[in-house]
Amino acid sequence: MSRLIAGVAGNPVAHSLSPLIHGEWIAATGIDGSYERFLVSLDGFAAFVASRRGTDLRGVNITIPFKEQALALADDADATALAAGAANVLLFSTDGRVTARNTDGIGLLAAFADQAPAFSPKAGPIAVIGAGGAAKGAVAALVAAGAPQVRIVNRTLARAEAIAAAFPGRARAFSWEEAEAALVGVGAVINATSRGLNGVDDLDLPLEAAPLTAVAMDMVYKPLRTGFLKIAKAQGRTVVDGLSMLIGQARPSFEAFYGRPAPNGSKVRDICLKALGEAP
Ligand code: NDP
């Protein structure tokens, strides 16, 4: 069989940890494969996808800002990508067809299973803070996993309302001023905003309104221990970090690209922690 080629496409893409993750799994499994970075110009994503159809590229992970466009350009999409309105994986088949998938939701649930095993999405309402692409994928995954109600809190209320409208009876929009009410009785609070990224503008939430049993999860993984997670930890809560989600979304991508499950073990997390400048 010829060398299996996959990669990550985005702009910017230099910061992506995906090449480290997939590179480590390629080495550990002994697959004859490679995983490359594709820096695509902001108006060049459609041309990038068109030029790769029917080539030896098996697939790409998609990062900012192309996730919505990736779904729109694909010939087929799985139910998760359709529900999320975005794709983080494009698979290229030899006949030139392109299939979109979204594994971010799988990654989110895997992170909870790994770091908060007692948490069940079915046990009660869940608060998702933010209403961008990541939040929409999270709401779709949580609803599919049986969450009785997902409460979406966002600075721009209309964006939260738009997501809630896609999940009638299962999701509800809250303004930033209503955050306290949104946190009452929840089983988890998930930061899906970009606040806290690079340690600036930490998320400020009235977290004490959530029961102490509520798990705190932050999709931001740079820094790993965000201001939001530090406050949650100080309150005695179980916390789930964004790196666990990142590795969780990479696993099904790896299997789709290379036809083999990703190996288990913590080495890949340690490699990412080192790249992030974090202690293991
Ligand atoms: P988007 O740009 O689509 O959405 C950003 C969200 O953050 C919006 O809800 C926006 O609110 C909110 N926001 C931004 N600045 C502020 C602010 N100052 N105050 C209040 N709200 C603010 O980003 P994504 O949804 O793609 O990504 C969100 C985060 O999730 C990023 O940090 C990303 O790195 C992370 N992520 C992590 C993953 C992982 O595997 N760990 C996977 C995917 C994403 P508004 O609508 O009002 O503008």
Side-chain angles (χ1 to χ4, degrees), residues 201-228:
D201 191 23
D202 280 332
L203 185 66
D204 56 333
L205 271 185
L207 191 56
E208 57 288 348
L212 274 179
T213 49
V215 176
M217 192 276 164
D218 203 327
M219 290 197 190
V220 170
Y221 54 83
K222 196 180 163 106
L224 188 70
R225 295 165 188 95
T226 58
F228 171 60

Side-chain angles (χ1 to χ4, degrees), residues 64 67-68 104 107-108 129-136 153-157 159-160 176 191-195 197 201 203-204 217-221 241-247 249:
I64 48 169
K67 287 186 178 184
E68 280 88 5
D104 279 341
L108 178 69
I129 317 302
K136 190 166 184 194
V153 180
N154 198 45
R155 175 181 63 177
T156 310
L157 179 60
R159 292 185 82 191
W176 205 262
N191 178 29
T193 74
S194 43
R195 287 188 65 179
L197 190 62
D201 191 23
L203 185 66
D204 56 333
M217 192 276 164
D218 203 327
M219 290 197 190
V220 170
Y221 54 83
D241 65 53
L243 180 56
S244 188
M245 175 175 170
L246 186 79
I247 295 170
Q249 64 77 34

Side-chain angles (χ1 to χ4, degrees), residues 35-122:
Y35 189 93
E36 299 166 17
R37 286 177 209 270
F38 299 102
L39 175 64
V40 179
S41 65
L42 291 175
D43 60 355
F45 190 69
F48 169 79
V49 172
S51 72
R52 300 291 164 158
R53 284 179 185 267
T55 68
D56 56 0
L57 183 69
R58 305 274 298 226
V60 275
N61 286 118
I62 311 295
T63 186
I64 48 169
F66 301 126
K67 287 186 178 184
E68 280 88 5
Q69 220 185 328
L71 176 64
L73 289 167
D75 304 305
D76 303 298
D78 70 4
T80 321
L82 289 172
N88 71 326
V89 177
L90 284 183
L91 299 176
F92 294 85
S93 56
T94 44
D95 65 2
R97 288 186 73 75
V98 178
T99 303
R101 291 194 186 167
N102 193 314
T103 65
D104 279 341
I106 297 173
L108 178 69
L109 296 172
F112 273 93
D114 186 30
Q115 298 186 332
F119 167 79
S120 164
K122 295 182 181 146

Side-chain angles (χ1 to χ4, degrees), residues 83 128-132 135-136 139 150-178:
V128 170
I129 317 302
K136 190 166 184 194
V139 176
V150 183
R151 300 173 181 168
I152 309 158
V153 180
N154 198 45
R155 175 181 63 177
T156 310
L157 179 60
R159 292 185 82 191
E161 287 172 339
I163 298 178
F167 303 93
R170 303 292 295 281
R172 209 185 129 185
F174 291 75
S175 68
W176 205 262
E177 292 67 35
E178 296 168 318

